[in-house]
Amino acid sequence: EQQCTVVDLLDSETDYRMLAKSSNPDSPDGESNDPLVYFLSGDTTSHRQFRKLFYRLAEGHPTIPTTLTTQGRNVPIPLSCTQKRVAYFEFADLCQKAMGAADYLVIANNFSTVFCHNIPKLTVNELNWLRRFITFVDTMYELKVTLILHTAQPVESIKDIFSVEGDKQS
């Protein structure tokens, strides 16, 4: 530390992971400094806005289920627009089934934007779901895939669960 400049990314007021690359569909001019990349369930319009953003990014191209293949296994994609590289999943499809890093890699290699709907309120009681979700998010992040999330709890509280899990493993 004496010979290097230390930069603490946590001191920033802005969490850049929470900013989308695209414009905000609800803004009158289509632009915003803080477009949504996650929606909090509980208000009546969040699901509608979430789906609306998916179809807006598809730009009128067909949105259909598809299947990818990795390591001899099929990875079903419930809804996708391959022309615009956009995919739509339920949390249960991604994290409550036997999926792993290879499955998430094939998704990330085929889509530039992934929607994940119905992320439940997570606790350490759902440890397998949490671990899959961590692997999923890490994979998307590493391959620079934009994630659009629809959650039952604020994204900030999910990271608190991860730190509790880390404390239990120590």
mmCIF file of all heavy atoms in Angstrom, residues 30-54:
data_model
loop_
_atom_site.group_PDB
_atom_site.id
_atom_site.type_symbol
_atom_site.label_atom_id
_atom_site.label_comp_id
_atom_site.label_asym_id
_atom_site.label_seq_id
_atom_site.Cartn_x
_atom_site.Cartn_y
_atom_site.Cartn_z
ATOM 1 N N GLY A 30 -36.988 9.060 -23.568
ATOM 2 C CA GLY A 30 -36.340 7.762 -23.688
ATOM 3 C C GLY A 30 -34.975 7.694 -23.043
ATOM 4 O O GLY A 30 -34.308 6.687 -23.081
ATOM 5 N N GLU A 31 -34.513 8.767 -22.442
ATOM 6 C CA GLU A 31 -33.188 8.806 -21.825
ATOM 7 C C GLU A 31 -33.316 9.090 -20.335
ATOM 8 O O GLU A 31 -34.247 9.722 -19.883
ATOM 9 C CB GLU A 31 -32.323 9.892 -22.468
ATOM 10 C CG GLU A 31 -32.070 9.681 -23.955
ATOM 11 C CD GLU A 31 -31.298 8.405 -24.239
ATOM 12 O OE1 GLU A 31 -30.414 8.042 -23.437
ATOM 13 O OE2 GLU A 31 -31.576 7.768 -25.255
ATOM 14 N N SER A 32 -32.357 8.614 -19.590
ATOM 15 C CA SER A 32 -32.308 8.879 -18.164
ATOM 16 C C SER A 32 -30.908 8.605 -17.671
ATOM 17 O O SER A 32 -30.200 7.766 -18.218
ATOM 18 C CB SER A 32 -33.299 7.977 -17.426
ATOM 19 O OG SER A 32 -33.114 8.086 -16.046
ATOM 20 N N ASN A 33 -30.487 9.302 -16.638
ATOM 21 C CA ASN A 33 -29.185 9.027 -16.053
ATOM 22 C C ASN A 33 -29.210 7.769 -15.211
ATOM 23 O O ASN A 33 -28.184 7.166 -14.972
ATOM 24 C CB ASN A 33 -28.737 10.213 -15.182
ATOM 25 C CG ASN A 33 -28.419 11.421 -16.020
ATOM 26 O OD1 ASN A 33 -28.079 11.300 -17.188
ATOM 27 N ND2 ASN A 33 -28.531 12.588 -15.420
ATOM 28 N N ASP A 34 -30.369 7.356 -14.737
ATOM 29 C CA ASP A 34 -30.492 6.168 -13.886
ATOM 30 C C ASP A 34 -31.599 5.246 -14.374
ATOM 31 O O ASP A 34 -32.614 5.077 -13.717
ATOM 32 C CB ASP A 34 -30.789 6.585 -12.438
ATOM 33 C CG ASP A 34 -29.616 7.281 -11.790
ATOM 34 O OD1 ASP A 34 -28.476 6.872 -12.051
ATOM 35 O OD2 ASP A 34 -29.851 8.222 -11.022
ATOM 36 N N PRO A 35 -31.441 4.595 -15.535
ATOM 37 C CA PRO A 35 -32.470 3.668 -15.983
ATOM 38 C C PRO A 35 -32.530 2.442 -15.070
ATOM 39 O O PRO A 35 -31.548 2.114 -14.419
ATOM 40 C CB PRO A 35 -32.031 3.287 -17.392
ATOM 41 C CG PRO A 35 -30.605 3.660 -17.486
ATOM 42 C CD PRO A 35 -30.333 4.703 -16.447
ATOM 43 N N LEU A 36 -33.683 1.784 -15.056
ATOM 44 C CA LEU A 36 -33.883 0.647 -14.168
ATOM 45 C C LEU A 36 -33.212 -0.604 -14.703
ATOM 46 O O LEU A 36 -33.328 -0.918 -15.880
ATOM 47 C CB LEU A 36 -35.381 0.377 -14.002
ATOM 48 C CG LEU A 36 -36.178 1.446 -13.272
ATOM 49 C CD1 LEU A 36 -37.661 1.124 -13.347
ATOM 50 C CD2 LEU A 36 -35.729 1.554 -11.835
ATOM 51 N N VAL A 37 -32.514 -1.325 -13.842
ATOM 52 C CA VAL A 37 -32.016 -2.650 -14.172
ATOM 53 C C VAL A 37 -32.623 -3.679 -13.233
ATOM 54 O O VAL A 37 -32.386 -4.858 -13.384
ATOM 55 C CB VAL A 37 -30.470 -2.748 -14.144
ATOM 56 C CG1 VAL A 37 -29.869 -1.911 -15.243
ATOM 57 C CG2 VAL A 37 -29.911 -2.385 -12.800
ATOM 58 N N TYR A 38 -33.378 -3.213 -12.251
ATOM 59 C CA TYR A 38 -34.156 -4.161 -11.463
ATOM 60 C C TYR A 38 -35.463 -3.528 -11.061
ATOM 61 O O TYR A 38 -35.599 -2.323 -10.958
ATOM 62 C CB TYR A 38 -33.379 -4.702 -10.262
ATOM 63 C CG TYR A 38 -33.377 -3.854 -9.014
ATOM 64 C CD1 TYR A 38 -34.322 -4.067 -8.017
ATOM 65 C CD2 TYR A 38 -32.422 -2.879 -8.808
ATOM 66 C CE1 TYR A 38 -34.318 -3.320 -6.863
ATOM 67 C CE2 TYR A 38 -32.401 -2.131 -7.658
ATOM 68 C CZ TYR A 38 -33.354 -2.348 -6.687
ATOM 69 O OH TYR A 38 -33.345 -1.599 -5.540
ATOM 70 N N PHE A 39 -36.455 -4.395 -10.901
ATOM 71 C CA PHE A 39 -37.798 -3.988 -10.534
ATOM 72 C C PHE A 39 -38.142 -4.699 -9.245
ATOM 73 O O PHE A 39 -37.856 -5.881 -9.090
ATOM 74 C CB PHE A 39 -38.794 -4.397 -11.630
ATOM 75 C CG PHE A 39 -38.583 -3.707 -12.943
ATOM 76 C CD1 PHE A 39 -37.565 -4.102 -13.799
ATOM 77 C CD2 PHE A 39 -39.401 -2.665 -13.322
ATOM 78 C CE1 PHE A 39 -37.366 -3.480 -15.016
ATOM 79 C CE2 PHE A 39 -39.206 -2.021 -14.543
ATOM 80 C CZ PHE A 39 -38.190 -2.437 -15.388
ATOM 81 N N LEU A 40 -38.764 -3.989 -8.333
ATOM 82 C CA LEU A 40 -39.163 -4.551 -7.049
ATOM 83 C C LEU A 40 -40.626 -4.962 -7.134
ATOM 84 O O LEU A 40 -41.485 -4.147 -7.470
ATOM 85 C CB LEU A 40 -38.950 -3.506 -5.954
ATOM 86 C CG LEU A 40 -39.047 -3.969 -4.517
ATOM 87 C CD1 LEU A 40 -38.028 -5.065 -4.234
ATOM 88 C CD2 LEU A 40 -38.816 -2.797 -3.582
ATOM 89 N N SER A 41 -40.894 -6.243 -6.880
ATOM 90 C CA SER A 41 -42.287 -6.692 -6.924
ATOM 91 C C SER A 41 -43.025 -6.091 -5.739
ATOM 92 O O SER A 41 -42.428 -5.661 -4.773
ATOM 93 C CB SER A 41 -42.371 -8.214 -6.914
ATOM 94 O OG SER A 41 -41.835 -8.729 -5.730
ATOM 95 N N GLY A 42 -44.302 -6.091 -5.819
ATOM 96 C CA GLY A 42 -45.099 -5.534 -4.735
ATOM 97 C C GLY A 42 -45.911 -4.349 -5.203
ATOM 98 O O GLY A 42 -47.000 -4.127 -4.715
ATOM 99 N N ASP A 43 -45.389 -3.589 -6.161
ATOM 100 C CA ASP A 43 -46.245 -2.547 -6.713
ATOM 101 C C ASP A 43 -46.909 -3.118 -7.966
ATOM 102 O O ASP A 43 -46.392 -4.027 -8.617
ATOM 103 C CB ASP A 43 -45.486 -1.239 -6.981
ATOM 104 C CG ASP A 43 -44.596 -1.278 -8.194
ATOM 105 O OD1 ASP A 43 -45.118 -1.545 -9.286
ATOM 106 O OD2 ASP A 43 -43.387 -1.023 -8.055
ATOM 107 N N THR A 44 -48.071 -2.617 -8.270
ATOM 108 C CA THR A 44 -48.905 -3.226 -9.307
ATOM 109 C C THR A 44 -48.361 -3.072 -10.714
ATOM 110 O O THR A 44 -48.717 -3.848 -11.592
ATOM 111 C CB THR A 44 -50.330 -2.623 -9.248
ATOM 112 O OG1 THR A 44 -50.221 -1.208 -9.390
ATOM 113 C CG2 THR A 44 -51.023 -2.981 -7.960
ATOM 114 N N THR A 45 -47.491 -2.126 -10.943
ATOM 115 C CA THR A 45 -47.027 -1.897 -12.310
ATOM 116 C C THR A 45 -45.663 -2.518 -12.604
ATOM 117 O O THR A 45 -45.250 -2.548 -13.751
ATOM 118 C CB THR A 45 -46.943 -0.394 -12.604
ATOM 119 O OG1 THR A 45 -46.016 0.207 -11.701
ATOM 120 C CG2 THR A 45 -48.287 0.274 -12.488
ATOM 121 N N SER A 46 -44.966 -3.038 -11.592
ATOM 122 C CA SER A 46 -43.591 -3.488 -11.832
ATOM 123 C C SER A 46 -43.513 -4.647 -12.824
ATOM 124 O O SER A 46 -42.647 -4.648 -13.693
ATOM 125 C CB SER A 46 -42.902 -3.861 -10.519
ATOM 126 O OG SER A 46 -43.456 -5.025 -9.952
ATOM 127 N N HIS A 47 -44.414 -5.622 -12.717
ATOM 128 C CA HIS A 47 -44.366 -6.747 -13.651
ATOM 129 C C HIS A 47 -44.673 -6.281 -15.070
ATOM 130 O O HIS A 47 -44.014 -6.698 -16.035
ATOM 131 C CB HIS A 47 -45.320 -7.859 -13.237
ATOM 132 C CG HIS A 47 -45.286 -9.031 -14.167
ATOM 133 N ND1 HIS A 47 -46.363 -9.406 -14.916
ATOM 134 C CD2 HIS A 47 -44.281 -9.885 -14.486
ATOM 135 C CE1 HIS A 47 -46.034 -10.450 -15.660
ATOM 136 N NE2 HIS A 47 -44.780 -10.760 -15.416
ATOM 137 N N ARG A 48 -45.650 -5.415 -15.219
ATOM 138 C CA ARG A 48 -46.002 -4.899 -16.542
ATOM 139 C C ARG A 48 -44.835 -4.132 -17.149
ATOM 140 O O ARG A 48 -44.501 -4.309 -18.319
ATOM 141 C CB ARG A 48 -47.258 -4.026 -16.448
ATOM 142 C CG ARG A 48 -47.760 -3.565 -17.813
ATOM 143 C CD ARG A 48 -49.082 -2.824 -17.763
ATOM 144 N NE ARG A 48 -49.023 -1.661 -16.892
ATOM 145 C CZ ARG A 48 -49.758 -1.503 -15.797
ATOM 146 N NH1 ARG A 48 -50.603 -2.438 -15.417
ATOM 147 N NH2 ARG A 48 -49.649 -0.421 -15.061
ATOM 148 N N GLN A 49 -44.168 -3.286 -16.355
ATOM 149 C CA GLN A 49 -43.016 -2.528 -16.850
ATOM 150 C C GLN A 49 -41.858 -3.457 -17.205
ATOM 151 O O GLN A 49 -41.158 -3.236 -18.190
ATOM 152 C CB GLN A 49 -42.559 -1.508 -15.807
ATOM 153 C CG GLN A 49 -43.528 -0.376 -15.615
ATOM 154 C CD GLN A 49 -43.126 0.519 -14.454
ATOM 155 O OE1 GLN A 49 -42.465 0.086 -13.518
ATOM 156 N NE2 GLN A 49 -43.531 1.773 -14.522
ATOM 157 N N PHE A 50 -41.663 -4.483 -16.413
ATOM 158 C CA PHE A 50 -40.615 -5.469 -16.640
ATOM 159 C C PHE A 50 -40.816 -6.155 -17.996
ATOM 160 O O PHE A 50 -39.901 -6.224 -18.823
ATOM 161 C CB PHE A 50 -40.650 -6.483 -15.487
ATOM 162 C CG PHE A 50 -39.534 -7.480 -15.474
ATOM 163 C CD1 PHE A 50 -38.260 -7.112 -15.058
ATOM 164 C CD2 PHE A 50 -39.765 -8.795 -15.835
ATOM 165 C CE1 PHE A 50 -37.231 -8.045 -15.007
ATOM 166 C CE2 PHE A 50 -38.739 -9.736 -15.784
ATOM 167 C CZ PHE A 50 -37.472 -9.357 -15.379
ATOM 168 N N ARG A 51 -42.034 -6.661 -18.237
ATOM 169 C CA ARG A 51 -42.347 -7.317 -19.522
ATOM 170 C C ARG A 51 -42.268 -6.323 -20.678
ATOM 171 O O ARG A 51 -41.771 -6.663 -21.759
ATOM 172 C CB ARG A 51 -43.738 -7.948 -19.474
ATOM 173 C CG ARG A 51 -43.935 -9.060 -18.500
ATOM 174 C CD ARG A 51 -43.378 -10.352 -18.931
ATOM 175 N NE ARG A 51 -44.082 -10.909 -20.067
ATOM 176 C CZ ARG A 51 -44.019 -12.182 -20.391
ATOM 177 N NH1 ARG A 51 -43.323 -13.016 -19.669
ATOM 178 N NH2 ARG A 51 -44.653 -12.644 -21.443
ATOM 179 N N LYS A 52 -42.739 -5.114 -20.451
ATOM 180 C CA LYS A 52 -42.706 -4.084 -21.492
ATOM 181 C C LYS A 52 -41.268 -3.811 -21.933
ATOM 182 O O LYS A 52 -40.991 -3.673 -23.126
ATOM 183 C CB LYS A 52 -43.364 -2.812 -20.950
ATOM 184 C CG LYS A 52 -43.429 -1.667 -21.931
ATOM 185 C CD LYS A 52 -44.110 -0.466 -21.274
ATOM 186 C CE LYS A 52 -44.008 0.757 -22.128
ATOM 187 N NZ LYS A 52 -44.596 1.933 -21.476
ATOM 188 N N LEU A 53 -40.351 -3.766 -20.979
ATOM 189 C CA LEU A 53 -38.944 -3.535 -21.315
ATOM 190 C C LEU A 53 -38.392 -4.698 -22.133
ATOM 191 O O LEU A 53 -37.653 -4.494 -23.099
ATOM 192 C CB LEU A 53 -38.116 -3.325 -20.046
ATOM 193 C CG LEU A 53 -36.621 -3.066 -20.262
ATOM 194 C CD1 LEU A 53 -36.383 -1.849 -21.154
ATOM 195 C CD2 LEU A 53 -35.931 -2.883 -18.907
ATOM 196 N N PHE A 54 -38.748 -5.926 -21.779
ATOM 197 C CA PHE A 54 -38.296 -7.088 -22.558
ATOM 198 C C PHE A 54 -38.740 -6.955 -24.013
ATOM 199 O O PHE A 54 -37.935 -7.096 -24.938
ATOM 200 C CB PHE A 54 -38.826 -8.393 -21.953
ATOM 201 C CG PHE A 54 -38.544 -9.592 -22.813
ATOM 202 C CD1 PHE A 54 -37.276 -10.169 -22.832
ATOM 203 C CD2 PHE A 54 -39.537 -10.139 -23.612
ATOM 204 C CE1 PHE A 54 -37.009 -11.268 -23.637
ATOM 205 C CE2 PHE A 54 -39.276 -11.237 -24.418
ATOM 206 C CZ PHE A 54 -38.013 -11.804 -24.431
#
